[in-house]
Amino acid sequence: MMAKCPVCETEYTPNEVETCSVCGYDLTPYPPTDEIPSGFWEKEKKRIAAAKRVWRLSQSQVESAQLIVSHLQSQLDETTRKIEGFTQSQSQLESQIEAIASSQLRSLPRLESQIEAIASSQLRSLPRLESQIEAIASSQLQSQSQIEAIASSQLQSQSQIEAIASQLQSITEAVADTPIVSSSSGFDYTQLHRLLKSGQWKAADQETAKMMLAVAGKTQRGYLGENDIENFPCEDLRIIDGLWVKHSNGLFGFSVQKQIYINCGGKPDGSYPGDTIWYRFADEVGWRVGGSWLSSKDYTFSPGSAKRGHLPFTIRIDNWVYTDMYSSLAHRLVTCSI
């Protein structure tokens, strides 16, 4: 059975797609009704209404631009018809000139034989003939000027069409590139997105820790336990990881750390991997140097010198990593398909 995107109403098959192919809206199915927090539906309705307004505005801008392009195309077609008309007139004028010249050549022998008799007549008619030739030449120059003016107008119209097409493309790309940085549970990751996009890695690491505590409802306690990680919402975890991976070009992020953890021999089943594998993983991501664990103040917040998977460092208790909780995080990433 087909369903429709709540934003742009594009049809899709439920459970087969995660995002709308037209507007990019998240189509992940809602959890069972008894797991949805109080007030969720009102927030969801407001979020969908806002997305619809953005979508309709972008479509209105696209349609306006298309109307302008259509109008300019009509002007271009009319200009082309005028050029063809002037070209035909010029061709006719050239044919007339050739006919006059041919007639003059045919009459030349007869004129030579009668030259003495009609010399005075020719002299009298010479000014008139010169005037006619000048008039014809002037008309030809005017036609040439008109053709050049029309060609210039056509170039200007083409430039306008290209400018509008460029503006239309910018509008389309801006709509497609607009990131969704809020989860269905109402948590807004705009600040995290801004910090990562501007390269403020330390502030972004702190913002990540703050947001995860808020999502898990453990802000007052100040750290996450194994149960908090195992029940952390997949959507929020996916948004946080996606922002880190995107803005670090694949250098940082939970999914990057998970892959390194597996490569070191760890199994993402929530169990402790043993000291050897755990130390190897910590060495690989730069959390341990020369056999000693780093404190949070000694972490590297520069992509140019940090190891792959070094950030974010959010699973912490008193500035050190609790291994069982990180094992739980790796397991949660797998269950969330991240």
Side-chain angles (χ1 to χ4, degrees):
M1 181 177 181
M2 302 295 289
K4 288 187 177 181
C5 172
V7 175
C8 67
E9 298 185 348
T10 299
E11 291 189 344
Y12 70 96
T13 304
N15 300 318
E16 289 189 5
V17 293
E18 294 184 353
T19 57
C20 178
S21 61
V22 176
C23 67
Y25 187 78
D26 187 355
L27 299 176
T28 304
Y30 295 114
T33 306
D34 57 354
E35 295 181 15
I36 298 178
S38 176
F40 166 80
W41 291 116
E42 289 302 320
K43 292 182 179 179
E44 184 66 4
K45 288 179 182 178
K46 292 179 180 179
R47 189 168 74 91
I48 293 175
K52 281 186 175 180
R53 288 195 294 272
V54 173
W55 173 253
R56 289 171 181 168
L57 176 60
S58 68
Q59 291 304 298
S60 175
Q61 292 174 332
V62 169
E63 291 173 358
S64 297
Q66 289 175 340
L67 288 175
I68 294 173
V69 170
S70 177
H71 178 68
L72 289 176
Q73 186 62 49
S74 298
Q75 291 182 335
L76 179 59
D77 293 341
E78 180 64 23
T79 300
T80 302
R81 287 193 292 272
K82 288 183 179 179
I83 290 176
E84 292 174 351
F86 279 112
T87 301
Q88 186 177 4
S89 298
Q90 186 179 18
S91 178
Q92 293 174 351
L93 182 59
E94 290 174 349
S95 297
Q96 291 175 349
I97 293 174
E98 290 176 358
I100 292 172
S102 177
S103 177
Q104 287 178 337
L105 289 173
R106 287 195 301 270
S107 65
L108 184 58
R110 182 172 54 85
L111 289 174
E112 288 177 345
S113 66
Q114 299 175 351
I115 190 168
E116 291 181 359
I118 62 174
S120 59
S121 177
Q122 283 184 329
L123 289 173
R124 288 194 300 270
S125 65
L126 184 59
R128 180 171 58 83
L129 182 60
E130 290 177 346
S131 297
Q132 289 177 343
I133 294 174
E134 289 176 357
I136 292 172
S138 176
S139 176
Q140 187 175 14
L141 288 174
Q142 290 177 357
S143 297
Q144 186 64 32
S145 298
Q146 289 175 335
I147 290 173
E148 291 176 353
I150 291 172
S152 176
S153 175
Q154 185 179 16
L155 288 174
Q156 291 177 354
S157 298
Q158 186 64 31
S159 298
Q160 290 175 338
I161 291 172
E162 291 175 353
I164 291 172
S166 177
Q167 183 181 17
L168 179 62
Q169 183 178 2
S170 299
I171 293 171
T172 304
E173 291 176 351
V175 171
D177 194 48
T178 302
I180 299 176
V181 290
S182 60
S183 64
S184 58
S185 55
F187 290 95
D188 188 354
Y189 297 91
T190 302
Q191 175 69 356
L192 178 59
H193 172 71
R194 184 185 65 80
L195 292 172
L196 288 169
K197 186 176 182 180
S198 60
Q200 300 181 60
W201 306 105
K202 184 174 183 179
D205 184 62
Q206 295 170 346
E207 177 69 11
T208 300
K210 185 183 81 172
M211 290 302 299
M212 291 188 71
L213 289 172
V215 172
K218 303 301 178 184
T219 300
Q220 188 172 8
R221 188 175 70 183
Y223 65 89
L224 302 178
E226 291 182 56
N227 189 57
D228 302 323
I229 297 298
E230 287 291 346
N231 294 284
F232 200 87
C234 289
E235 181 185 9
D236 293 80
L237 194 60
R238 189 176 291 110
I239 292 175
I240 294 171
D241 178 66
L243 289 173
W244 273 97
V245 172
K246 174 182 178 181
H247 293 295
S248 68
N249 294 319
L251 181 65
F252 302 141
F254 291 137
S255 58
V256 177
Q257 294 172 351
K258 181 201 72 176
Q259 190 57 52
I260 296 173
Y261 179 76
I262 294 174
N263 292 343
C264 289
K267 295 182 179 180
D269 56 4
S271 63
Y272 177 59
D275 291 345
T276 300
I277 293 176
W278 177 242
Y279 293 159
R280 184 186 305 159
F281 167 71
D283 292 339
E284 285 293 324
V285 298
W287 293 353
R288 213 173 71 123
V289 177
S292 299
W293 292 90
L294 298 181
S295 62
S296 59
K297 64 182 180 63
D298 295 323
Y299 272 63
T300 302
F301 297 97
S302 172
S305 54
K307 286 190 172 184
R308 185 169 178 268
H310 191 68
L311 297 174
F313 179 58
T314 56
I315 311 302
R316 52 166 72 94
I317 299 179
D318 296 331
N319 294 327
W320 60 276
V321 180
Y322 183 40
T323 56
D324 286 348
M325 280 197 299
Y326 190 83
S327 302
S328 298
L329 175 60
H331 180 246
R332 186 57 175 164
L333 289 167
V334 171
T335 59
C336 290
S337 299
I338 300 175

